[in-house]
Amino acid sequence: MTTNFYTVKGGQGATTLAAAAAVRTARLLPHRPATIVVSDQQELEDLAAALGVSMPTWDGIIEVPMHEGSLAAYSREAAMCADIIEPDYTIGHEWRPGTNNVLVIRACYLALRRAVSKDDRPDLAVFIPEPGRALGRDDIERALGCKVIEAPWDPAVSRAVDAGILAYQIPKTLEATIDEISKHPARY
């Protein structure tokens, strides 16, 4: 299944969530390679840093060494050139019909306002609350009209990304969120 983790505003956590989901998928289904397709070279470099792997090759490809399973990341241009079929996890900022479209959103009024103004609605939203913010899960659910999973704000996630160890050590709260997402298939 293809999952599109997307945001309507930068810094919401879609790249981190998609990277962790792809790593988890590669580990759980080692016979089926997990692939991440990102929108541009900069996003690919950010992804490489979070996963703790070397920078992408000139052709926009990251191979993630894993003990179990396999994971590769491509820029959208490289993916088109490589003729990749059905990536398991896709991140980006555009709507893709026929996939599980998951909006990643923090307790940010501007992000919620942008999400509501879009014609397309997500199949599912992952809400990351933050201490001291007024918006809650019920507000997001009411505004978007879709199921909302609350992913607890956890400093361990930031530390794993900052240390570049996400490919090797996914925080438990992030694993639980990914497992919850997998229980909600796309609407077709």
Side-chain angles (χ1 to χ4, degrees):
M1 178 206 283
T2 300
T3 301
N4 175 35
F5 292 95
Y6 74 101
T7 65
V8 292
K9 183 176 178 272
Q12 301 292 299
T15 301
T16 299
L17 193 56
V23 169
R24 186 138 169 87
T25 298
R27 287 184 184 150
L28 294 175
L29 302 170
H31 61 282
R32 186 171 172 208
T35 304
I36 302 175
V37 178
V38 297
S39 58
D40 57 31
Q41 187 71 17
Q42 182 59 54
E43 196 170 14
L44 193 65
E45 290 173 10
D46 292 347
L47 183 65
L51 290 170
V53 296
S54 61
M55 293 309 255
T57 60
W58 64 270
D59 54 357
I61 298 172
I62 300 174
E63 293 290 334
V64 181
M66 301 183 71
H67 295 294
E68 298 175 30
S70 64
L71 171 62
Y74 302 84
S75 66
R76 189 170 316 288
E77 296 78 17
M80 288 177 189
C81 293
D83 196 27
I84 296 171
I85 301 168
E86 282 297 306
D88 295 300
Y89 281 88
T90 304
I91 57 178
H93 306 290
E94 63 188 51
W95 189 258
R96 291 185 189 88
T99 63
N100 195 12
N101 292 291
V102 178
L103 172 67
V104 182
I105 189 166
R106 291 182 180 262
C108 173
Y109 176 75
L110 295 175
L112 181 59
R113 191 169 155 213
R114 284 184 193 169
V116 169
S117 72
K118 302 290 182 192
D119 290 334
D120 295 317
R121 292 285 182 246
D123 298 309
L124 181 69
V126 174
F127 170 61
I128 304 166
E130 296 174 63
R133 301 299 295 260
L135 289 175
R137 190 190 65 77
D138 292 340
D139 300 318
I140 305 293
E141 201 164 69
R142 216 175 6 262
L144 294 175
C146 70
K147 169 85 174 148
V148 176
I149 295 171
E150 189 169 316
W153 182 84
D154 182 0
V157 174
S158 299
R159 285 193 299 269
V161 170
D162 292 347
I165 59 171
L166 202 54
Y168 314 101
Q169 183 178 350
I170 300 173
K172 297 291 182 204
T173 54
L174 196 49
E175 280 189 351
T177 300
I178 295 163
D179 291 345
E180 189 64 27
I181 292 167
S182 68
K183 296 176 188 174
H184 299 278
R187 297 175 298 193
Y188 291 101

